Amino acid sequence: MWEGTPSWGRRHILKLAGATAAGTVALGRAEAADESDANVSVRFEDQESDGSSVVIQSLYTDVDAEVIIFRSEGDRTRYRVLEVAAETEFTDRTVELDEPIPETQLISVSVQPPEGGFSYGGARATVAVGEPLDEPDGDESESGLELIDADPDAGFNWPYLLYTPSASEAAGNEETESGETDVRPLVVGNSPWRGSPSDAERRVESGRGHIENGRLSAVARELGSPALVALIPSRDEDGSYQNLRLSGAAFDRLDLQVLAMVDDARARLADRPYDVPEAFHVEGFSSNGRFFDKLAALHPERVNAVSAGGNGIAVLPLAELSEDVPTAGEPQTTSLPWPVGVADLPELVGDDFDRDAWFETAHFWYIGAEDQDPENPEEYLHKLYRGSGEPDELIRDVFGSLQVDERFRTSRAIFEHLGKSAEFTAYDGAGHEVTGEMIEDAADFHRRHKHEAFGPQFARAVEWPRGPVTVGEPLGVAVSYENLGTAAATATSALSVDGDPVDTTSVDVAPGESERVELQHSFSSPGEYTVSVDASASESFAVTAEAGDASATADGTGDSGSERDEPTAVDQPGFGLPQAITALGVVGYLIERRLSENE
């Protein structure tokens, strides 16, 4: 707790000393209960700002509270106080400040009761005003972000950004770690701003924000996975739109270049304590969503899950359009060439469409329900292939014109007709934008399909015993396993001492549920021991001789002729902490009495 600490005067100390030990303990427990009753979390990260606002990455509170944004050091200037109701939850919220931040400084975000008194929780971060955030020397920043230069010999003519989670991010926190299997698929995206080849600096800046604080960051953190941002352009210098074309493009095959980046990243991650499989996850919005929709159709065996937002149309796994396929209009042809369908893929890429692998790839389509203009359907916010001739006409005949009411619904209807399992969600009140709810749903989608594809995974919480451990008395360790997957799984827990297994047990855990097991071991001799759970989480314990065994020493040998060490204040009988507090209270009382007599 780093705000609202009371200052104590001499009279306060004397009155506190006069309290009994039982009263002191009860007072401490009452305050702890008030704090523990609240479920509050906040994430606030280093960022750049013009000083007028800050971005809170995420916040949740199940109680009424105040969110205070203030200077962490010095005069602790308050820049904004927000009142939030119980069950408030948001992500990536830009907060306009009542008073601007004048210069780069450490800023705190504290969530506390409206009446004050203590903090439910908080976070601190550096807000850089008018200057870039400081980074350590070298290519790798504190967040594990590295810029990889283009390598034409390796198959990619453009650079990419590689984010590697730290050990604590990969584990979740100090006491929770993933178990059973440790497979972390790479999460892949494009820079939100792509532009032309000459826009390289802006692409890097946009990609850095995407991988540190954007959608890609949210998905990667949810999976505990590394992430890759491909810094590829989308247009020629003359403005002609490329995105992902298979013929007549000024760029070499961008889909193959992204695959080469993924393979290069996997080689760089080979020494990590987790496996990065060939199949990866992708996330894209707007034109980037369309890019990865096409990449997943071209290489379905390499894509485990794809989330794509802000588009109404999807690549159809069809070469021919039969009469029973639902369409928005009446197409004048049954052939579905790329990129509406896959009729001409063999001619374009030399391979047939892998229908079976595509059906195994998980898809999540999301869109703002207001991402269209019914009064002017030809000018809604986002319309790919405008004026492209036959492709534009075929798309209008198959999917319609309105982005949501026609195209999005038609795509969902065709997928359902084909028996393709996919998720389609339109978000009320949203336009051509990405909201916090969309990000949360996308992250949850990727987490579920990661677990489904790569086996059961658990969040593991270890409860270590506190207090002395003596020879002959069992040491008990409790372990809780939460099944993060979508199917029931068995968690196997193993207790080891100095690397040797001493106890194991297994428990079946339903999806989304938690189960608790207990492991035990009794020590036969005193000494220092390292106790570990599942060969990962570990603690050191000093085991002492049994009470009353005067013949045993700390190393387990007898030495009845040696003198005993002088007992400490805690060791001495009849005078422990409660007695000390009581004695201090008596002293305080006598001082006050003597002072009053002298008066």
Side-chain angles (χ1 to χ4, degrees):
M1 198 159 51
W2 26 263
E3 186 190 33
T5 303
S7 62
W8 300 99
R10 183 173 69 94
R11 184 172 298 276
H12 290 91
I13 295 174
L14 291 175
K15 288 183 178 179
L16 179 61
T20 65
T24 303
V25 173
L27 178 64
R29 286 178 179 170
E31 182 175 356
D34 289 340
E35 295 186 50
S36 63
D37 287 343
N39 181 12
V40 172
S41 65
V42 60
R43 185 161 62 91
F44 182 55
E45 300 176 346
D46 292 351
Q47 57 193 268
E48 298 176 6
S49 170
D50 63 1
S52 65
S53 65
V54 296
V55 176
I56 299 176
Q57 276 64 43
S58 67
L59 182 141
Y60 171 76
T61 174
D62 65 349
V63 296
D64 293 339
E66 285 185 345
V67 179
I68 303 175
I69 303 172
F70 62 97
R71 182 171 184 166
S72 299
E73 303 168 332
D75 59 8
R76 292 180 174 260
T77 302
R78 291 193 176 191
Y79 297 112
R80 181 71 187 273
V81 178
L82 300 173
E83 294 184 0
V84 293
E87 303 304 323
T88 293
E89 183 174 12
F90 59 74
T91 58
D92 294 328
R93 172 72 62 84
T94 299
V95 179
E96 299 295 330
L97 304 176
D98 293 332
E99 182 176 344
I101 301 172
E103 58 189 7
T104 298
Q105 57 190 250
L106 195 63
I107 298 296
S108 294
V109 176
S110 175
V111 184
Q112 66 179 45
E115 65 274 17
F118 60 85
S119 175
Y120 290 129
R124 295 191 296 179
T126 298
V127 176
V129 178
E131 62 185 48
L133 286 169
D134 290 334
E135 294 182 357
D137 296 335
D139 293 331
E140 188 169 347
S141 68
E142 293 179 355
S143 62
L145 190 59
E146 186 177 3
L147 178 63
I148 309 300
D149 292 331
D151 188 351
D153 292 337
F156 51 98
N157 300 324
W158 311 97
Y160 71 87
L161 288 165
L162 178 61
Y163 169 82
T164 306
S166 65
S168 60
E169 289 172 326
N173 57 50
E174 293 180 357
E175 295 187 357
T176 303
E177 303 169 5
S178 59
E180 294 306 298
T181 59
D182 202 1
V183 179
R184 305 179 190 277
L186 197 63
V187 180
V188 180
N190 287 335
S191 174
W193 171 265
R194 291 172 60 188
S196 63
S198 60
D199 295 326
E201 291 186 7
R202 186 170 179 181
R203 251 191 318 277
V204 173
E205 179 183 355
S206 175
R208 183 181 295 275
H210 191 39
I211 207 169
E212 289 184 331
N213 300 308
R215 299 185 314 280
L216 208 68
S217 170
V219 174
R221 291 178 187 276
E222 184 73 15
L223 274 58
S225 287
L228 182 156
V229 173
L231 301 177
I232 54 177
S234 60
R235 299 179 183 277
D236 260 336
E237 294 294 353
D238 63 6
S240 60
Y241 188 65
Q242 302 295 336
N243 201 21
L244 201 170
R245 291 188 178 181
L246 299 180
S247 63
F251 310 139
D252 289 337
R253 291 270 302 275
L254 292 180
D255 57 317
L256 297 180
Q257 294 200 46
V258 171
L259 292 187
M261 293 176 186
V262 169
D263 292 337
D264 184 77
R266 292 182 64 237
R268 295 174 184 272
L269 296 168
D271 61 345
R272 297 289 165 172
Y274 48 80
D275 179 42
V276 181
E278 288 188 352
F280 53 91
H281 288 227
V282 296
E283 158 41 49
F285 180 78
S286 194
S287 61
N288 282 337
R290 185 63 176 152
F291 178 95
F292 285 115
D293 173 32
K294 292 189 282 187
L295 185 144
L298 292 168
H299 312 282
E301 76 287 351
R302 294 295 306 272
V303 180
N304 181 53
V306 53
S307 57
N311 285 288
I313 62 177
V315 173
L316 301 179
L318 299 171
E320 294 290 329
L321 191 64
S322 60
E323 293 183 358
D324 57 345
V325 174
T327 59
E330 298 182 358
Q332 302 302 306
T333 178
T334 60
S335 178
L336 296 178
W338 183 265
V340 180
V342 296
D344 53 349
L345 270 191
E347 302 171 15
L348 295 172
V349 300
D351 293 315
D352 291 330
F353 173 67
D354 192 340
R355 181 183 176 91
D356 292 339
W358 183 87
F359 267 82
E360 290 296 321
T361 300
H363 287 80
F364 171 53
W365 303 92
Y366 61 94
I367 197 169
E370 311 306 321
D371 191 3
Q372 62 182 14
D373 183 2
E375 302 299 325
N376 191 7
E378 296 300 319
E379 295 297 333
Y380 56 76
L381 291 173
H382 188 67
K383 185 174 186 293
L384 293 172
Y385 310 109
R386 184 196 305 272
S388 60
E390 291 183 5
D392 188 14
E393 182 178 348
L394 181 59
I395 288 171
R396 186 174 61 249
D397 290 343
V398 173
F399 297 99
S401 294
L402 287 176
Q403 179 88 309
V404 182
D405 293 344
E406 295 177 350
R407 293 187 170 187
F408 194 72
R409 292 181 178 178
T410 300
S411 295
R412 177 170 56 191
I414 294 175
F415 275 46
E416 291 175 350
H417 171 77
L418 298 174
K420 165 64 176 177
S421 177
E423 301 177 31
F424 287 78
T425 304
Y427 294 83
D428 293 336
H432 194 66
E433 60 184 316
V434 179
T435 66
E437 187 178 5
M438 294 175 185
I439 295 174
E440 291 177 5
D441 289 349
D444 177 71
F445 161 80
H446 284 281
R447 176 182 58 82
R448 287 186 280 110
H449 287 284
K450 169 197 172 185
H451 299 149
E452 184 176 294
F454 302 113
Q457 286 192 294
F458 300 94
R460 180 183 59 225
V462 180
E463 301 172 34
W464 297 103
R466 301 302 177 200
V469 181
T470 58
V471 170
E473 293 185 3
L475 175 142
V477 179
V479 189
S480 298
Y481 291 93
E482 179 188 1
N483 186 350
L484 302 177
T486 58
T490 300
T492 300
S493 189
L495 186 71
S496 299
V497 175
D498 290 341
D500 297 325
V502 295
D503 191 16
T504 60
T505 187
S506 297
V507 62
D508 294 330
V509 189
E513 300 294 330
S514 297
E515 296 291 343
R516 188 172 182 270
V517 298
E518 291 190 3
L519 301 165
Q520 289 189 345
H521 176 68
S522 295
F523 296 90
S524 58
S525 61
E528 292 284 340
Y529 297 91
T530 298
V531 180
S532 58
V533 173
D534 300 341
S536 180
S538 63
E539 287 278 337
S540 295
F541 290 91
V543 179
T544 60
E546 294 182 87
D549 185 0
S551 64
T553 63
D555 61 0
T557 62
D559 187 7
S560 58
S562 62
E563 295 183 2
R564 291 188 58 192
D565 292 336
E566 288 296 324
T568 64
V570 176
D571 294 328
Q572 295 187 34
F575 199 81
L577 180 60
Q579 290 79 9
I581 294 177
T582 303
L584 185 58
V586 173
V587 173
Y589 169 76
L590 293 176
I591 292 173
E592 285 194 323
R593 179 177 177 182
R594 182 64 176 268
L595 288 173
S596 93
E597 288 176 352
N598 289 340
E599 290 173 0

